[in-house]
Every structure is written in C-alpha cells, then in structure tokens.
Amino acid sequence: MTPAPTLAFPRSQRQLLGSVIDSSTSLLAEQTHDIVRFAMGAPNEDLMPIAALDDAFASQRSGRFDYGDSAGEPRLREQILRLVGETEVATTDDRLLVTTGGMQGLDLAFKLCVDPGDLVIVEAPTYTNGNATALSYGAEVIGAPTDAHGLIVDGLPEIVARAGRTPKAIYTIPNFQNPMGVTLTRERRVRLLELAERWGAMIIEDDPYGLLRFGGEHVASFAEIAPGHPLVFQVRTFSKTIAPGLRVGWIDVDPELRQLAISAKQAMDTCTGVPAQNAVAMFLENGHLAPHIERLKPIYRERKIAMRRELERAFGDRAVATDPDGGFFLWVTFAGALESIDTEALFTDALAEGVAYIPGPAFTTDGSMRNSLRLCFATSSPERIAEGVDRLARAAALAVPGAGLPTVGGSS
Ligand code: PMP
C-alpha cells in the first residue's frame, strides 16, 4: 500500500495563528449557563437597524442575485462617497473599493504592501486579527508602545534603529483603538505621516469606530491632514455602525493601488455579496445612517460610564481602565494587590462565574500584557454591566484571595 500523501502547508501560512477572538467565541457558544458577554466587539442585535435592513433586502428587484462589479455596486460607492464627504473630507470614486468587511480590507492591505520578511510596526496592544493578517503574509511584526493618546509615534525612530531597517507598513487603529479605546492625537498623526514619508512606509489606517464618537472633540483624520496621500491605505467597515453580518466595508487608497486591489479581490471573492451591498446602499440612500448613529451614541456613552463606575466600585485602584470618547472598548489593567493576575488563566474562572472578556496577551505580538484585558461595553445594558463586573470581581477574588476585594453582590 502506498502511504497516504501528507499535505505540506505553504511556508507563508505556517504563522497563521487562528483568531483567539474567534476561538473564545466558540468556547462561549458551548456554555449553557448565563454569561455576560464583554468579549466580542459587536453591536447587540437590539441596537442593529433590523427592520430597515429587512425592508431593504425585501424590496430588491432583478439583478440582485447576479455577480456584481468587483469594485463594488455603483449605487453603494455613490453613497460611500457622500458619507465620506460629509463626515471626513471628499474622496473620489477612483480611490474606492467595496470590500467584504474590514477584514478583507486589511487582507488586501497586507497582501499588496508587504513581502515575506518585511518589517511591520503595529500598536502594542493591537487588534488580533490585524496582526494575524500581517503574519499570514510573512511580515515580521514589532509592537510599539501605545498610551492614552494612541501610538507613541516619537518612539518609532528608536524602534526602527534597533531593528536595523525601516518598516514597510505601520498598522494603526487611530480612533477608539481596539483594544484600548484610545485615540491618536492630531500631532502624532502629522508626525506619523512625516515618518512614513521618510521611510517609504504605508500607513494602514484601520478605522471601524471613527463615526461612533460620543464625547470629546473630533480629531482630524489622515485624509483631512493630507488629502489623497499615497502612503495612506484606509480600511473602513459598516460592521460597527450598521451590522457585522452584512460583511460590507471599503478601502480608500491611491488609484494605482486600487487597481491592484481590484485584481486581488477578483482572485479572492470576485465581488462582495450584492444583496448586502444593495441593502447598505438603500439604508444610506434613505438617510437612515445619521439618525441611527445619533441614537447609538448616548447609549454607548452611558454604557462606558457605567462600566467605568462599576469597575471602580468593584476593584477600586486594583484595576485601571482607559476612558474612551467613542467606540466599544475599555482596556483594563490589574494593579496593586491584583497586579499578578494572569488574565488568560483567569478566563476559565471568569467563564464559570458567568462573564467573558478577551485576555490581554491576545492583543500582543509576544504574549505580554498578561494582567490586562479587553472589555466591550457596547453590548450590555448598564444593569448587565454591573452584574458582569461583579462576576469578574468574584473570579479575581478566587485568583488572589488576599487581595481584599470589596464584597460584591450575590454569588453564583
Ligand atoms: N479592524 C478592527 C480594529 C476591528 O475591531 C474589526 C472588527 N472587530 C475589524 C477590523 C474587522 O471588521 P469586519 O468585521 O468588518 O471585518
């Protein structure tokens, strides 16, 4: 008998990590007891415009099940042009490509900008799947420190000097960063553009949350600072503002790069699902997006305030949380008597207590940030947030019995 042939996986894909977030989600799906879900970064179904989307799907007529234009349905591109012009600075159709969610935008960005072995700088911590995408194209990824004002841009030249070579790309989530919730200041954006020019590096600007600002002042985007800059690869999505299951996003890039992106997309999925594109286009044509976002903002603001308040109540100064002006996430770092907590190890107890989150190391390139975690405040009501934080405190009290945590309500 001839031995069964073994499949040699391509070298370029051996670094594929699988998404920690997705594996947490499947672990969550197996649980049968009540769980407060602070893990996923997605709007809850009761905050999605389901009725308007149902109408938009139902009213579509002929052609909706055909292949579509690889660049995206023209009516959707027209609406995206309008949206971007109203909320940022006017862009042009020859820069736009509709993508299958923000993830495909990131995939195209790394596919087109990075060769195996190239250096890519990411924020530390950063969005797991963005990092994983860079790795899947063989990038050598270095995490750069990030503080309450976003990526510490002035620290980059030293990192580059130590690496002994310049980066091919810098991956940043400038608004309400995932996972920290922090926003890159205008000064740092200007400086980042200067460094990108000096190094000939692409800034991969991942901005799913920018429209969800519920406090503070608007910060100029890269496009507002330097319209049409050829070294900015902007990745956007409707997943957080409308609904993630639609899988509709877009990229805004230099026209020459956009041509390459269209060819690359043809080899990936030909086109983004036409019914979903039409539904988003109709939602925008009917003027639903602005009022929908205005409805969401005070809800998310209230939830963020509630989560910070409950963390303060349950943990006092044993947990330090960021204070975002928008988006979905708080980044929490245990301190003082809880500083030694390992959030990966804590996860099992937390799940047993009935609360889910994403452990800090999932957002790093080196498994560090073990005493931090990401909490999504957007998905739960203030009451559920209080319950979830109580459960988290119970799990932490189990992990560090001598931490002197204030007594938290109930027991499970
Ligand atoms: N980038 C960031 C920073 C995100 O948080 C997400 C979604 N969690 C994505 C990209 C992916 O967006 P999409 O779901 O539209 O693919």
Side-chain angles (χ1 to χ4, degrees), residues 96-297:
L96 289 186
L97 165 60
V98 174
T99 57
T100 301
M103 272 321 302
Q104 186 174 58
L106 291 179
D107 197 74
L108 286 165
F110 289 110
K111 177 178 270 191
L112 298 178
C113 300
V114 169
D115 279 316
D118 279 347
L119 186 64
V120 171
I121 293 180
V122 304
E123 291 156 345
T126 188
Y127 173 50
T128 319
N129 292 351
N131 189 34
T133 306
L135 290 174
S136 78
Y137 287 106
E140 189 195 308
V141 178
I142 297 187
T146 303
D147 64 15
H149 306 292
L151 180 68
I152 304 175
V153 176
D154 276 339
L156 296 184
E158 196 188 317
I159 290 172
V160 167
R162 242 184 291 133
R165 60 205 177 111
T166 55
K168 211 49 179 300
I170 302 162
Y171 170 54
T172 179
I173 305 154
N175 297 314
F176 323 124
Q177 198 247 15
N178 183 358
M180 289 182 77
V182 298
T183 293
L184 194 64
T185 61
R186 184 195 163 95
E187 296 71 42
R188 290 187 183 187
R189 292 179 199 222
V190 170
R191 178 92 178 105
L192 193 60
L193 280 164
E194 287 167 7
L195 290 174
E197 283 168 11
R198 192 203 294 171
W199 295 329
M202 186 65 77
I203 297 175
I204 299 175
E205 177 197 18
D206 185 10
D207 187 20
Y209 304 99
L211 294 179
L212 297 172
R213 173 178 285 281
F214 50 64
E217 296 292 315
H218 172 76
V219 179
S221 66
F222 292 111
E224 286 168 286
I225 295 167
H229 200 295
L231 289 177
V232 177
F233 192 119
Q234 194 191 41
V235 176
R236 305 287 298 270
T237 176
F238 289 107
S239 291
K240 315 298 171 168
T241 46
I242 305 182
L246 293 164
R247 312 307 302 134
V248 177
W250 75 96
I251 59 172
D252 187 332
V253 295
D254 188 74
E256 211 177 309
L257 194 52
R258 183 231 194 200
Q259 278 311 319
L260 287 178
I262 291 173
S263 305
K265 183 175 164 73
Q266 278 163 349
M268 291 160 102
D269 62 0
T270 308
C271 67
T272 294
V274 173
Q277 289 192 67
N278 283 336
V280 173
M282 277 186 223
F283 189 77
L284 296 172
E285 284 161 4
N286 292 332
H288 288 318
L289 184 64
H292 175 62
I293 288 177
E294 287 314 308
R295 175 177 164 248
L296 295 176
K297 284 180 184 175

Side-chain angles (χ1 to χ4, degrees), residues 212-396:
L212 297 172
R213 173 178 285 281
F214 50 64
E217 296 292 315
H218 172 76
V219 179
S221 66
F222 292 111
E224 286 168 286
I225 295 167
H229 200 295
L231 289 177
V232 177
F233 192 119
Q234 194 191 41
V235 176
R236 305 287 298 270
T237 176
F238 289 107
S239 291
K240 315 298 171 168
T241 46
I242 305 182
L246 293 164
R247 312 307 302 134
V248 177
W250 75 96
I251 59 172
D252 187 332
V253 295
D254 188 74
E256 211 177 309
L257 194 52
R258 183 231 194 200
Q259 278 311 319
L260 287 178
I262 291 173
S263 305
K265 183 175 164 73
Q266 278 163 349
M268 291 160 102
D269 62 0
T270 308
C271 67
T272 294
V274 173
Q277 289 192 67
N278 283 336
V280 173
M282 277 186 223
F283 189 77
L284 296 172
E285 284 161 4
N286 292 332
H288 288 318
L289 184 64
H292 175 62
I293 288 177
E294 287 314 308
R295 175 177 164 248
L296 295 176
K297 284 180 184 175
I299 297 174
Y300 290 157
R301 184 167 174 277
E302 182 191 28
R303 292 178 177 191
K304 181 215 62 171
I305 292 171
M307 188 173 267
R308 283 179 48 83
R309 185 183 60 232
E310 298 304 329
L311 286 166
E312 169 71 27
R313 175 184 59 76
F315 291 98
D317 57 7
R318 297 172 200 80
V320 180
T322 51
D323 191 4
D325 284 330
F328 283 7
F329 306 114
L330 286 191
W331 181 249
V332 178
T333 302
F334 288 117
L338 294 182
E339 197 178 359
S340 63
I341 281 192
D342 181 321
T343 56
E344 254 172 22
L346 183 72
F347 188 73
T348 316
D349 280 344
L351 214 48
E353 286 290 339
V355 62
Y357 62 83
I358 307 281
F363 302 99
T364 70
T365 51
D366 56 4
S368 61
M369 307 201 172
R370 306 204 70 81
N371 61 345
S372 296
L373 52 87
R374 187 192 79 179
L375 298 179
C376 173
F377 55 77
T379 315
S380 310
S381 67
E383 298 72 36
R384 287 288 282 172
I385 286 174
E387 177 62 32
V389 171
D390 271 354
R391 294 177 185 183
L392 185 63
R394 282 204 289 276

